[in-house]
Amino acid sequence: MEEERPSGLVGKLLGGVNSSMRKLLFTFMSSGPIPQHMAFIMDGNRRFAKKWKLEEGAGHKAGFLALMSVLKYCYEVGVKYVTVYAFSLDNFNRRPDEVQYVMDIMHEKIEGFLKEMDMVNRYGVRVLFIGDLNRLDESVRVAAEKAMEATAKNTKTYLLVCVAYTSSHEIPRAIYEACQEKQGGLAVGSHIGDSINSNNNGIVNVDDDDVLNDVIKVVDLEKHMYMGVVPDPDILVRSSGETRLSNFLLWQTTNCLLYSPKALWPEMGFWQVVWGILKYQKNYYYLEKKKKQA
């Protein structure tokens, strides 16, 4: 026991030094524009496990720890909204046992997140699950609803978790609901998990052609988007050096900075967040010019 105390004291001292240096750097960075919203495609959990010859699921566990660190750094530097791509709607086309495995991991991680309430409340995080939640296992959906309810009063920062989500589902769903609203058949702010009336190609069936005749505007669509509850992302980060968007936030990233660090998702941390924001600051005026021209 006597030998553990110095190491614990040294750990606390080093942690304090790191925290002070981090705050100093973030203060310096805050002299420039800070992105309001950062979105992440969490790519590389499995490759991380394979790279280090870890057991199945170890990569996702490491990825959860990386998420906690990334959230902390984003909120400390002043980012208000963080969105993560947790599970694509297209992933339901995988083998049933593989889908169930991911559902089990997702349930475990949501429960794990609820155990991090000290950090959640410290940064005032409100959690929102975005997507067709009806497609989730009941246990996962209940856990997601529990997390949203537990953080509903927080308004300082936001974490949006996209599950059972793709843009090719979100966009036609928004068109359908906008048309239904114009016809008086749908109230604004319908349940976030409602499905749309479309065929397998995502083509929406609308009964009244007049609704589409210069009546449905961009603003009508955007208020029915799953992601319409927050501003569009300023930065979209995909780990592992990949540059594909993978059907994620296609509508919302028109004038967004794309950043692809080579680190696998479990390797993401402080410096990846810092470099992403510095890249945003370097390109800020160009991005703002493009937004005004849109």
Side-chain angles (χ1 to χ4, degrees):
M1 292 295 294
E2 292 298 324
E3 293 179 357
E4 293 178 2
R5 289 179 182 175
S7 62
L9 180 60
V10 170
K12 289 182 179 179
L13 288 173
L14 290 176
V17 171
N18 288 337
S19 177
S20 297
M21 293 298 291
R22 188 168 69 244
K23 289 179 181 179
L24 183 62
L25 178 58
F26 285 167
T27 300
F28 171 77
M29 292 173 63
S30 296
S31 62
I34 297 296
Q36 188 178 23
H37 185 177
M38 291 184 70
F40 295 88
I41 299 177
M42 303 182 292
D43 191 12
N45 289 327
R46 293 182 181 181
R47 274 173 283 172
F48 177 83
K50 185 176 180 180
K51 174 182 176 180
W52 295 104
K53 299 180 180 179
L54 303 175
E55 62 182 7
E56 188 176 19
H60 289 85
K61 292 179 181 179
F64 178 75
L65 295 176
L67 173 60
M68 292 297 100
S69 295
V70 167
L71 288 177
K72 179 176 70 173
Y73 301 140
C74 285
Y75 296 145
E76 284 185 359
V77 78
V79 177
K80 184 170 184 176
Y81 304 97
V82 176
T83 299
V84 296
Y85 200 10
F87 193 72
S88 168
L89 196 59
D90 295 333
N91 289 342
F92 283 101
N93 296 325
R94 295 178 178 177
R95 297 192 321 269
D97 62 320
E98 189 175 352
V99 173
Q100 187 58 52
Y101 175 72
V102 175
M103 288 290 113
D104 292 341
I105 289 180
M106 195 179 301
H107 179 263
E108 177 185 335
K109 297 313 170 190
I110 296 173
E111 292 291 341
F113 183 83
L114 286 169
K115 295 178 182 178
E116 300 287 341
M117 291 306 293
D118 286 344
M119 190 199 86
V120 170
N121 291 328
R122 187 189 318 142
Y123 296 107
V125 185
R126 182 176 181 182
V127 181
L128 297 173
F129 284 83
I130 303 295
D132 189 355
L133 303 189
N134 290 328
R135 295 290 301 274
L136 301 175
D137 281 3
E138 183 179 0
S139 61
V140 179
R141 186 170 63 254
V142 169
E145 291 172 351
K146 184 179 178 182
M148 288 191 285
E149 182 179 354
T151 62
K153 294 182 180 180
N154 292 339
T155 57
K156 185 177 179 181
T157 59
Y158 290 79
L159 170 63
L160 290 87
V161 183
C162 290
V163 291
Y165 170 93
T166 58
S167 288
S168 58
H169 173 81
E170 178 186 36
I171 295 170
R173 170 190 172 276
I175 295 172
Y176 175 75
E177 291 194 354
C179 293
Q180 289 290 89
E181 182 189 356
K182 292 296 182 179
Q183 291 177 316
L186 183 71
V188 177
S190 61
H191 191 275
I192 203 166
D194 290 346
S195 60
I196 63 170
N197 179 21
S198 64
N199 63 23
N200 292 332
N201 294 320
I203 300 175
V204 177
N205 298 319
V206 181
D207 296 330
D208 189 351
D209 291 338
D210 291 337
V211 175
L212 297 177
N213 186 22
D214 295 330
V215 176
I216 302 299
K217 304 181 185 300
V218 170
V219 66
D220 297 318
L221 298 183
E222 290 186 337
K223 70 181 178 182
H224 288 291
M225 294 281 187
Y226 284 131
M227 291 294 296
V229 293
V230 296
D232 290 346
D234 299 298
I235 309 176
L236 175 60
V237 182
R238 178 162 187 160
S239 54
S240 303
E242 296 285 348
T243 54
R244 294 175 293 110
L245 295 180
S246 296
N247 214 344
F248 181 55
L249 303 185
L250 301 183
W251 181 278
Q252 294 84 1
T253 53
T254 304
N255 297 296
C256 176
L257 177 70
L258 303 179
Y259 171 48
S260 303
K262 292 183 179 180
L264 302 174
W265 177 254
E267 299 167 342
M268 292 281 289
F270 175 74
W271 287 112
Q272 285 76 24
V273 172
V274 167
W275 285 118
I277 293 175
L278 290 177
K279 282 178 66 70
Y280 169 77
Q281 292 180 336
K282 180 180 178 181
N283 292 278
Y284 174 76
Y285 294 106
Y286 171 79
L287 293 170
E288 288 298 302
K289 180 180 179 181
K290 286 298 181 181
K291 288 179 183 178
K292 292 177 180 179
Q293 293 175 348

